[in-house]
Amino acid sequence: MRPQTAKAGPSLEDVAARYAVAITPAMAALIDPGDPNDPIAAQFTPDVRELDALPHERADPIGDDAHAAASCLVHRYPDRVLLKLVNVCPVYCRFCFRRETVGQPTAVSAAVLEDALRYIRADANIWEVILTGGDPFMVSPRRAAHLTQELAAIDHVKIVRWHTRVPVVAPERTTAEFAQALRAEGVTTYVVLHANHPRELTPHARTAIARIIDAGIPMLSQSVLLRGVNDDAETLESLMRTFVELRIKPYYLHHGDLAPGTSHFRTTIERGQALVQTLHDAASGLCQPHYVIDSPGGHGKAPLAPPSARRTQDGWLLRGRDGAWRRYEDPQ
Ligand SMILES: *Cc1c(COP(=O)(O)O)cnc(C)c1O
Ligand code: SF4
């Protein structure tokens, strides 16, 4: 298949040779083939623009390598670690910030996982373990249950947080058995769902989400601000309202990372700020995610929402939902 025929130059084969490509039946079924700007297709269909890596883009855009503690652990903040459980995903998002490493079928071996658990057991400051990948929901219920129990047995680990796209892109994998496998006595489990467009939240996805929450597990969301997918006020508001309607508390809206070949997805920070300001003025507080950017080099996430309080020479100004700034005297 070579859609951009006739023209010499980079082809989709070159993209596929460079980056992992996959889409699930659930997502393929959502694409409207008549719409050249379909927001689902844009997220999963390879594009020759991915070969245009810009000089300021980086293979490791959020500086994970600078904080690697064991081969599958990133320890950036004292109280929590990231544990990359697998390198595979059911889909490969064209904007993925780990696009240089996902898709390689190198499973995390039992020995590497045991190393990671030893590291976590040895550091009593680690309060939370964040499971990521790839997509950690790709493991079997048996492996998920085993890992949950190992973590629950560590006294100082109180929270286990799974970051996943599976309930949306491959909802049939989120069985009641899998949801049960995420729970154990001695630890509290959270699941953070990655979804970027309200259409991703299909009836099947909603059933998968309900299985998790009905098992007693609270859910949060994370979305990436993507040009042509969700960078308009109406889509963003609808996405956040849909999360809340499904009992998912919006958590993060990520500004696009500087992953190689993803500049066609990025908006400016000014555009993102205008969008979250509009969302703030229009929708319930339940619908407000934190708009954040990961600082390149591994210095953590920085909040990007424009401030609603300003200090001036003669006191404070507060911004109202009508956009007007009003004076506030801070009583001493
Ligand atoms: C984003 C991130 C976390 C989680 O941060 P929260 O703000 O707690 O969601 C933890 N470790 C690393 C390395 C991260 O990049
Ligand atoms: S599901 Fe997450 S890790 Fe996997 S390709 Fe998409 S953004 Fe990357």
Side-chain angles (χ1 to χ4, degrees):
M1 188 183 65
R2 194 178 280 271
Q4 303 76 3
T5 44
K7 228 168 61 183
S11 70
L12 292 181
E13 281 90 339
D14 298 326
V15 178
R18 180 77 180 75
Y19 298 113
V21 175
I23 184 166
T24 53
M27 289 297 102
L30 278 184
I31 294 175
D32 173 1
D35 178 1
N37 300 316
D38 185 274
I40 310 299
Q43 294 183 66
F44 304 115
T45 310
D47 187 303
V48 291
R49 287 175 292 180
E50 292 173 43
L51 297 169
D52 301 337
L54 303 178
H56 56 270
E57 292 177 332
R58 309 169 172 225
D60 177 28
I62 71 168
D64 278 354
D65 295 346
H67 298 265
S71 63
C72 64
L73 275 187
V74 185
H75 196 182
R76 179 175 296 148
Y77 310 109
D79 73 330
R80 53 212 194 274
V81 289
L82 286 189
L83 199 173
K84 296 184 203 172
L85 198 53
V86 289
N87 290 315
V88 292
C89 302
V91 290
Y92 290 103
C93 310
R94 308 323 303 159
F95 48 84
C96 177
F97 68 112
R98 295 216 177 98
R99 59 191 334 222
E100 296 288 348
T101 52
V102 293
Q104 295 158 10
T106 47
V108 174
S109 70
V112 167
L113 190 58
E114 193 40 56
D115 261 1
L117 288 170
R118 202 172 301 125
Y119 180 94
I120 294 166
R121 282 187 204 109
D123 185 346
N125 294 312
I126 300 174
W127 173 82
E128 178 177 26
V129 176
I130 301 168
L131 300 169
T132 178
D135 196 314
F137 268 36
M138 292 298 275
V139 303
S140 66
R142 193 183 52 79
R143 270 192 76 197
H146 175 76
L147 179 62
T148 304
Q149 279 149 24
E150 290 283 336
L151 292 170
I154 305 174
D155 266 354
H156 53 266
V157 173
K158 304 294 188 198
I159 307 292
V160 175
R161 189 203 314 177
W162 298 71
H163 278 245
T164 181
R165 201 147 169 45
V166 161
V168 156
V169 298
E172 70 286 350
R173 293 188 72 99
T174 311
T175 57
E177 183 193 8
F178 191 87
Q180 278 309 321
L182 304 177
R183 299 199 56 188
E185 198 74 42
V187 83
T188 300
T189 302
Y190 281 74
V191 170
V192 181
L193 178 71
H194 171 190
N196 304 313
H197 192 279
R199 255 169 57 205
E200 292 170 36
L201 297 155
T202 61
H204 283 126
R206 291 168 190 235
T207 304
I209 289 162
R211 273 189 203 117
I212 298 168
I213 300 175
D214 289 346
I217 299 169
M219 284 185 74
L220 306 169
S221 72
Q222 63 175 348
S223 308
V224 184
L225 182 60
L226 296 168
R227 200 208 299 177
V229 175
N230 58 18
D231 68 331
D232 63 278
E234 202 178 312
T235 304
L236 204 59
E237 183 180 328
S238 160
L239 175 64
M240 297 306 154
R241 285 193 193 277
T242 306
F243 283 142
V244 174
E245 289 162 19
L246 299 180
R247 297 180 282 171
I248 298 172
K249 173 67 188 86
Y251 180 42
Y252 275 142
L253 175 66
H254 295 276
H255 192 75
D257 290 310
L258 296 175
T262 61
S263 61
H264 53 295
F265 282 115
R266 279 195 296 278
T267 66
T268 60
I269 289 177
E270 284 82 0
R271 173 102 189 104
Q273 288 187 321
L275 284 166
V276 297
Q277 188 83 265
T278 303
L279 180 67
H280 173 263
D281 295 343
S284 159
L286 287 177
C287 300
Q288 311 300 324
H290 299 288
Y291 176 39
V292 294
I293 187 166
D294 261 290
S295 93
H299 308 287
K301 293 173 185 63
L304 285 177
S308 289
R310 272 205 318 245
R311 201 194 178 115
T312 67
Q313 292 226 309
D314 32 28
W316 286 87
L317 290 176
L318 302 183
R319 186 186 174 281
R321 287 205 174 203
D322 57 0
W325 291 85
R326 296 178 181 84
R327 204 163 291 288
Y328 175 77
E329 294 302 330
D330 195 11
Q332 276 300 328

